[in-house]
Amino acid sequence: MKISLRNIYDQQGVSLPVVSVRQNHQLHFKAPTSIRKAQAVFLSKNSGNGFDCGCRKSDSLKLVILPKVLSKEFGEVVPSWVSAAHRDARKGAAVRTIKGVLTQSRISGTDFPMKPWHNSYDWNYFVKTDKQFFYLNSPANNDYDAKNRTSVMECEWDSKFVPLWSLPMPGDRIQVTGRWIYDCGHPINGKHRSEIHPPKAVVSFREETELFAGNKGLSRASKAIVYINSKGGYINQKINDQNYSFDIYLPPKPSTSSVPKFKVSKMIASPVHPIIVPFPKENPKMLKVTIPLLGKSIPSGNYGVIISGGWSDPSSSDAKDIKKITVSLKEVFFKKDKDPDGIIFSKRDEWYLYTGINGRWKLFESMDRGKNTLNHKVTFHLHKTQKIKISTNGYEADAIHDIMGASVGLPAKVTSSSKLTSSERKKAGEGIKKGFLKLGKNLLEGSDIENDKIGIVYQEIPVSQISKGETIHSNKGDYHIVVDVT
């Protein structure tokens, strides 16, 4: 059998138009390569051995913070992350792109708290990767299945550099580009998770409605939410060293005479405009999009647009099946006392709750146990075939939250270099020790200094099944939210 790029992708169980085959090939290799090399890469297995790339064992750096009170092993965070492309000689191999479906979208709430490791908590994107990206997964990744070539890769981006408008919902299609690494802090049976950490570009996709030029009413639209940023927290990346390409698959045609339409909403001011081409030309089924940042000057260091793709609809046939939706978050009730009062001190819970409604995210901060009024409304328009998505997550903050983002005065090199000297590791340890001593009385009382994770909510409601009044419970029984959908 003659081997072609299409054959290779077919072997991965991927059925895509020719344009997507070429585009996906470029995402893996960035430049033309031989079919033989492509086949070898797709069939290769990831060892998951971060020790080969510079990860250290936990007991390789042990700190006595207070004698007989608190000692911790910090070897795994010096360095915390190392390149998984350590032995890959291809230019640009340390930066990879994955595509897939998002299984979770949430704040971490439990990250190592100090700079240069973190400025804030990571936002975590859990991506069930498409088959052609399976080889980038480690055996330590979630739901790793070598036989069926499926796995979930965790992608993490310091939330200080990620705006709420860019965050996707569980179930969304997603494309992530960034640094391909092993996470040294969480070894499982001697294997390390592979991740994209940090990303520098995230494109997520959702189905909604839009008013396109020339149409009298709203019509169905496929939307791409594009966010690109050079800042990642412990490490920064160039964003103008490449272009960013993806496809927007168009919704069903309202009529046989409809022609493609698109609309670009700039979320961050920029002179760079997306290049958008309907494909195939004769009978378009998608919009081929390129964000042409290669070689461009990006003074702000970041880029953001929302691109909507749809159809002309002169007879407004879609509009009759589109409904105005209002989702009201009325109140949240936290059922557990995460910080019981002590003998000396009275303690107040500090619940931080992120709420997402079809990609409209909001953070509610520092709430106490019991009933809390939210009074938060989100209004948008959806077609009868579409869904409302509601997701909430967060954490209950404890003492370690107080030093989140506090600098230990060290360069970012110590968090991600696989070639640290013993003196550099010792200096890092001293910086960590000084940071933890800032926790003061919490250490002296021997109290739990770690934040508490709280349950994750995710619920889909088809527009056709809307009923007023919903009580949504977290999956761990920590809280429930009263929601009105009208």
Side-chain angles (χ1 to χ4, degrees):
M1 180 182 70
K2 182 180 178 181
I3 296 178
S4 66
L5 288 180
R6 179 175 290 279
N7 295 145
I8 291 174
Y9 281 88
D10 284 344
Q11 290 175 31
Q12 309 305 310
V14 181
S15 178
L16 296 169
V18 172
V19 62
S20 292
V21 170
R22 291 174 181 166
Q23 183 190 95
N24 275 291
H25 190 67
Q26 291 169 359
L27 291 178
H28 291 282
F29 300 100
K30 290 192 174 182
T33 190
S34 72
I35 293 172
R36 185 183 297 274
K37 288 182 180 178
Q39 181 79 325
V41 169
F42 286 143
L43 296 179
S44 66
K45 291 183 179 180
N46 187 324
S47 70
N49 191 343
F51 295 120
D52 283 349
C53 300
C55 288
R56 303 293 182 93
K57 295 183 178 180
S58 61
D59 60 2
S60 64
L61 180 63
K62 186 174 182 178
L63 300 180
V64 178
I65 296 177
L66 289 174
K68 298 183 180 180
V69 177
L70 181 64
S71 64
K72 281 186 174 288
E73 295 177 349
F74 287 109
E76 292 167 344
V77 299
V78 187
S80 277
W81 310 278
V82 295
S83 173
H86 184 63
R87 289 187 171 89
D88 196 324
R90 287 180 292 157
K91 184 179 179 181
V95 172
R96 298 296 182 93
T97 293
I98 63 168
K99 290 183 179 183
V101 176
L102 205 62
T103 62
Q104 289 185 41
S105 179
R106 62 170 175 82
I107 198 74
S108 169
T110 58
D111 291 308
F112 194 75
M114 293 171 289
K115 291 181 183 176
W117 287 264
H118 284 94
N119 293 264
S120 187
Y121 303 102
D122 281 329
W123 192 268
N124 293 347
Y125 311 79
F126 289 83
V127 183
K128 183 177 181 181
T129 54
D130 293 344
K131 289 181 184 294
Q132 71 267 37
F133 300 96
F134 175 76
Y135 72 96
L136 296 172
N137 285 280
S138 161
N141 286 11
N142 293 341
D143 300 329
Y144 185 87
D145 183 345
K147 180 179 179 180
N148 296 301
R149 300 182 66 78
T150 61
S151 186
V152 173
M153 182 182 288
E154 185 175 349
C155 307
E156 303 183 26
W157 202 344
D158 194 312
S159 61
K160 179 177 180 179
F161 308 110
V162 185
L164 292 177
W165 64 261
S166 73
L167 297 177
M169 299 291 292
D172 288 354
R173 286 283 305 172
I174 192 168
Q175 175 175 315
V176 183
T177 301
R179 188 169 182 254
W180 182 41
I181 60 96
Y182 286 127
D183 187 335
C184 299
H186 308 281
I188 301 172
N189 297 323
K191 305 291 185 182
H192 296 84
R193 291 197 314 247
S194 63
E195 302 175 352
I196 302 295
H197 188 169
K200 63 174 180 173
V202 172
V203 184
S204 59
F205 304 87
R206 61 175 180 246
E207 302 301 315
E208 290 193 354
T209 62
E210 188 58 74
L211 179 62
F212 293 106
N215 289 354
K216 295 179 181 179
L218 295 168
S219 60
R220 282 174 284 184
S222 299
K223 298 196 173 190
I225 294 80
V226 183
Y227 182 64
I228 305 170
N229 193 347
S230 61
K231 294 181 179 179
Y234 73 96
I235 194 168
N236 296 328
Q237 303 174 86
K238 290 182 179 180
I239 62 172
N240 65 346
D241 61 343
Q242 67 174 97
N243 295 327
Y244 302 83
S245 299
F246 53 89
D247 299 326
I248 300 176
Y249 287 83
L250 295 170
K253 275 188 177 185
S255 67
T256 56
S257 61
S258 295
V259 297
K261 292 279 188 176
F262 57 83
K263 181 177 181 179
V264 178
S265 300
K266 288 196 173 183
M267 306 303 291
I268 298 170
S270 173
V272 178
H273 302 284
I275 300 170
I276 304 172
V277 180
F279 183 89
K281 185 176 181 180
E282 296 75 18
N283 183 23
K285 291 181 173 58
M286 69 181 76
L287 301 176
K288 182 174 170 57
V289 181
T290 300
I291 309 295
L293 296 190
L294 179 62
K296 300 292 175 56
S297 175
I298 316 292
S300 65
N302 59 4
Y303 183 91
V305 294
I306 297 177
I307 303 172
S308 302
W311 300 95
S312 62
D313 188 12
S315 61
S316 298
S317 58
D318 257 3
K320 62 181 172 48
D321 292 320
I322 291 174
K323 181 178 181 179
K324 181 181 178 180
I325 307 290
T326 299
V327 179
S328 302
L329 304 184
K330 311 293 281 188
E331 62 186 48
V332 60
F333 187 89
F334 297 108
K335 294 183 281 184
K336 294 186 177 181
D337 185 356
K338 293 286 189 179
D339 289 327
D341 293 342
I343 297 174
I344 301 175
F345 298 102
S346 176
K347 296 183 179 180
R348 181 182 185 277
D349 281 0
E350 292 182 83
W351 296 75
Y352 286 74
L353 188 70
Y354 285 81
T355 65
I357 303 169
N358 284 48
R360 284 81 170 168
W361 288 87
K362 184 177 176 64
L363 169 61
F364 296 91
E365 300 183 72
S366 196
M367 294 179 285
D368 200 2
R369 58 186 173 270
K371 179 180 175 180
N372 292 263
T373 302
L374 300 180
N375 284 337
H376 175 55
K377 293 184 178 181
V378 176
T379 299
F380 45 90
H381 294 79
L382 293 178
H383 189 267
K384 68 177 183 180
T385 61
Q386 297 173 338
K387 296 177 181 179
I388 300 165
K389 294 182 176 183
I390 301 172
S391 186
T392 64
N393 66 88
Y395 57 92
E396 195 279 319
D398 286 318
I400 206 166
H401 179 77
D402 297 332
I403 59 172
M404 173 54 71
S407 178
V408 295
L410 298 169
K413 176 186 176 182
V414 302
T415 68
S416 59
S417 173
S418 61
K419 300 178 181 179
L420 296 177
T421 65
S422 58
S423 61
E424 286 173 327
R425 283 171 56 78
K426 183 178 179 181
K427 184 178 179 181
E430 288 301 313
I432 294 169
K433 179 178 177 180
K434 290 177 183 177
F436 273 81
L437 285 174
K438 293 178 182 178
L439 294 175
K441 70 176 180 64
N442 299 94
L443 290 172
L444 293 172
E445 286 191 342
S447 60
D448 181 11
I449 64 173
E450 301 287 349
N451 294 343
D452 296 303
K453 290 185 177 181
I454 63 175
I456 299 171
V457 161
Y458 179 64
Q459 185 164 329
E460 292 184 357
I461 307 171
V463 171
S464 59
Q465 298 177 18
I466 288 176
S467 59
K468 186 175 181 180
E470 296 275 348
T471 300
I472 302 175
H473 298 267
S474 78
N475 59 4
K476 293 185 179 177
D478 296 325
Y479 61 98
H480 65 251
I481 298 177
V482 179
V483 180
D484 271 355
V485 183
T486 56

